[in-house]
Amino acid sequence: TFLLVMLVVPLVAVLYSLQGEAKYLGASQVLLSDRDFAGGLTGQGSLPLDLDRVVDTQARIARTPDLARRVLRSARVDATRADELLGSSSVVPLEDTNVLEFRVVDEDAEIAARLATAYAQQFVTYTRAIETAAIERARKGILEEMARLARQGGRNSALYARLAQDAR
């Protein structure tokens, strides 16, 4: 009985593992900026940023269905839905860094690599659009304040000069 168990268990384990499909991991990394450009324009970015919090926030942004749909379009992978991509992928902050690693598991090594690369690229594009919008809002606020000062005759004030410098 003992010998039978010693032979059958490994045989069953080998047969079981051969039935499973191979899985491949594609990974790509993104270095996050530690600067708040919009906050610098408005004066609200003077507080030190908690990098752990920033990295965790960016990792959460990366897990949105909207971004997943963009990744699929960019990688030209039609058979996968956004929720499937989110289920077969992860975005992991690398310990003690401001780097996010985008990981995608797929049965096709080339697709896993393509999706991981597209995921990182689309994340950069997506977050850059968010940051650009924030910078544009900050710049618009500066220009509105300059116009208000100009209407009140304050073109020669120190505040107007500082705002003009910030608007550049």
Side-chain angles (χ1 to χ4, degrees), residues 8-127:
V8 170
V9 170
L11 181 62
V12 169
V14 168
L15 289 174
Y16 181 75
S17 68
L18 290 175
Q19 288 179 345
E21 294 183 34
K23 299 285 183 174
Y24 298 94
L25 173 67
S28 194
Q29 296 178 353
V30 172
L31 174 66
L32 301 173
S33 173
D34 59 353
R35 302 193 187 262
D36 179 10
F37 295 108
L41 281 176
T42 62
Q44 297 172 357
S46 58
L47 297 175
L49 295 174
D50 177 0
L51 274 182
D52 289 337
R53 188 173 177 182
V54 169
V55 172
D56 288 342
T57 300
Q58 294 299 305
R60 287 179 186 248
I61 289 171
R63 301 299 292 159
T64 62
D66 182 45
L67 182 57
R69 284 188 290 276
R70 292 171 186 230
V71 170
L72 293 172
R73 277 193 305 271
S74 172
R76 294 186 174 99
V77 178
D78 299 328
T80 306
R81 294 189 331 253
D83 60 332
E84 292 171 339
L85 174 61
L86 292 173
S88 66
S89 65
S90 62
V91 178
V92 181
L94 298 183
E95 193 172 332
D96 297 326
T97 69
N98 54 341
V99 173
L100 290 180
E101 184 167 81
F102 294 79
R103 300 174 182 165
V104 178
V105 175
D106 196 271
E107 291 145 5
D108 183 321
E110 190 268 330
I111 289 177
R114 193 169 61 192
L115 283 169
T117 301
Y119 206 158
Q121 290 170 339
Q122 289 302 308
F123 171 78
V124 170
T125 300
Y126 188 75
T127 55

Side-chain angles (χ1 to χ4, degrees), residues 132-152:
T132 301
I135 291 169
E136 286 302 316
R137 282 191 303 276
R139 189 169 187 281
K140 182 180 177 189
I142 290 170
L143 294 174
E144 288 172 355
E145 181 65 15
M146 288 174 65
R148 185 188 66 76
L149 284 171
R151 284 191 304 275
Q152 295 174 349

